[in-house]
Amino acid sequence: MAVIHALDDYYLAITLLITIAYQLFFFSIAFSLKFDKLTDFAGGTNFVWLAIITLAFSGHHHARQIVCSLFIMLWGARLSGFLLFRIIKTGKDDRFDDKRDKFFSFLGFWVFQMIWVWTVSFPVTILNSPNVTKFDQPDFGTGRDIAGVILFAIGFILESVSDFQKYRFRTDPANKGKVCDVGLFTWTRHPNYFGEIIIQFSIFMIAVSPSAYGYVTGQAFNAQYAAILGPFFLTLLLMFVSGLTLQERPGAKKRYESGNHWESFTRYTRRTSILIPFPPQLYEPMPTILKRTIFLEFPIYVFDPAKHAVQSKVQEREAEEGNNQRQRSSDGLADGQR
């Protein structure tokens, strides 16, 4: 099958243009119709299309290319399918409440999604590119390949199972407002994020094998190793931009100010690692310095009521609770007099 040379021989330009066009198409629908249901679907399926197109263009279908392409397609399809199902059930995405009617603010999210898709696809995009496929490749089944497949399976199971466990917990009316501390969430507060990180590094591990074993040399060698920017970018995104930073301190602040299961929440955070799975019995007594370093629970995630809470909201909540308590006591006294 003939190799297709598209703009550059690493397929970076063509995948960027495809991603921009794909995301702008869905952005136009989402902004025009004020429709949230396609946002995450557009992100996940974009990965699928880039893998299919670069694999088809490559003209070579080595087992390693097929495995890496299928892995990112499987991950993207599952993620987009689950998020589409979830948003259909919930009705809208609260992330866009302050952006939905503002063209440039809303577009900014989509531009960031373009960067996310294009960058995280680097390992597969470059592996399928003519500058890499022109070299011979080691037979699939090297130690790196096997380790990558095992890590992918672990990450995929972690992400898939934890998404299901959390969705089932949240949709049970009996759990309204409670802390999700079931299943995988007993070992880490964010098993889905940890699984997603493992998935991307596992794909890179497999994809870079031709260079790691000396088959690919020169600039293509450098390009394959530079593709680690993809999984690193995803990790930084989840840890410092759209993942933990939006979940940890803001979530704790909301619970504290509303008094929503605050005690059980603080007990859960003391016992449970923020990202890396670890037995809660061992994590709870661990020195704080180890939690803040080895286990990545950096100060930016920690909520301090004295510093971060809006005290007026706390006082309003406490006053309302006091009024409710007095009303219940009054009602009980009246019932006793009858």
Side-chain angles (χ1 to χ4, degrees):
M1 185 175 177
V3 178
I4 297 177
H5 297 266
L7 300 180
D8 71 88
D9 284 342
Y10 288 112
Y11 289 158
L12 297 178
I14 189 64
T15 52
L16 177 60
L17 291 176
I18 291 170
T19 299
I20 291 172
Y22 194 73
Q23 294 302 314
L24 287 179
F25 170 75
F26 281 103
F27 164 75
S28 64
I29 297 174
F31 183 74
S32 300
L33 303 179
K34 306 297 183 255
F35 192 66
D36 294 340
K37 294 180 175 61
L38 295 178
T39 308
D40 290 318
F41 176 81
T45 54
N46 202 154
F47 287 101
V48 177
W49 283 114
L50 293 187
I52 291 174
I53 291 169
T54 56
L55 182 62
F57 281 9
S58 72
H60 298 271
H61 296 150
H62 190 277
R64 186 171 291 102
Q65 290 177 261
I66 295 173
V67 169
C68 287
S69 299
L70 285 176
F71 277 2
I72 202 164
M73 288 162 59
L74 180 62
W75 168 72
R78 189 215 68 86
L79 181 64
S80 59
F82 170 74
L83 294 177
L84 178 62
F85 169 79
R86 190 178 67 180
I87 195 65
I88 288 174
K89 292 292 186 180
T90 58
K92 72 183 185 75
D93 195 328
D94 295 337
R95 292 176 299 174
F96 306 119
D97 286 347
D98 61 342
K99 299 180 179 69
R100 199 175 290 111
D101 298 320
K102 301 174 183 176
F103 180 86
F104 288 106
S105 295
F106 196 40
L107 178 62
F109 170 86
W110 289 82
V111 170
F112 197 82
Q113 183 155 276
M114 295 173 195
I115 299 170
W116 169 61
V117 172
W118 183 62
T119 306
V120 175
S121 295
F122 278 175
V124 174
T125 298
I126 293 173
L127 175 66
N128 288 337
S129 70
N131 273 353
V132 172
T133 58
K134 68 182 181 181
F135 292 95
D136 291 331
Q137 293 203 22
D139 291 336
F140 185 80
T142 66
R144 296 179 67 91
D145 295 330
I146 294 171
V149 170
I150 293 172
L151 284 175
F152 178 86
I154 293 172
F156 193 80
I157 291 171
L158 275 174
E159 186 177 26
S160 303
V161 172
S162 60
D163 278 344
F164 172 75
Q165 289 176 337
K166 190 169 188 177
Y167 175 78
R168 186 174 62 176
F169 184 89
R170 295 291 188 219
T171 53
D172 185 346
N175 295 327
K176 185 177 180 180
K178 292 182 179 180
V179 178
C180 181
D181 57 357
V182 299
L184 295 170
F185 290 89
T186 60
W187 282 54
T188 164
R189 279 138 51 193
H190 301 280
N192 50 337
Y193 293 164
F194 186 72
E196 192 166 338
I197 291 169
I198 289 179
I199 286 172
Q200 297 308 324
F201 275 100
S202 71
I203 293 174
F204 169 78
M205 180 180 290
I206 300 170
V208 80
S209 287
S211 291
Y213 288 101
Y215 285 74
V216 174
T217 59
Q219 291 300 316
F221 174 95
N222 296 333
Q224 279 218 290
Y225 273 101
I228 200 172
L229 288 173
F232 268 126
F233 180 76
L234 176 82
T235 302
L236 292 174
L237 188 68
L238 291 177
M239 291 190 65
F240 302 111
V241 182
S242 66
L244 299 181
T245 50
L246 296 182
Q247 296 287 329
E248 285 294 315
R249 184 181 290 176
K253 179 176 181 291
K254 185 176 180 180
R255 282 188 180 275
Y256 179 77
E257 292 174 351
S258 64
N260 183 10
H261 295 86
W262 173 247
E263 291 184 2
S264 60
F265 177 78
T266 54
R267 184 168 57 252
Y268 175 68
T269 56
R270 282 197 306 269
R271 289 175 51 83
T272 314
S273 169
I274 189 170
L275 186 64
I276 303 170
F278 202 73
Q281 298 86 350
L282 300 179
Y283 187 79
E284 184 172 17
M286 185 180 297
T288 300
I289 185 64
L290 295 182
K291 294 181 179 181
R292 298 285 188 271
T293 53
I294 296 175
F295 285 87
L296 309 178
E297 192 163 349
F298 302 133
I300 60 171
Y301 306 133
V302 178
F303 171 73
D304 183 343
K307 294 180 180 179
H308 306 128
V310 178
Q311 297 302 323
S312 60
K313 292 184 178 181
V314 177
Q315 291 167 2
E316 289 175 6
R317 186 255 300 169
E318 291 175 344
E320 183 178 352
E321 290 176 349
N323 291 334
N324 291 337
Q325 181 63 36
R326 285 191 293 271
Q327 183 62 45
R328 285 193 294 269
S329 299
S330 177
D331 293 342
L333 181 60
D335 289 340
Q337 291 176 343
R338 292 195 195 100

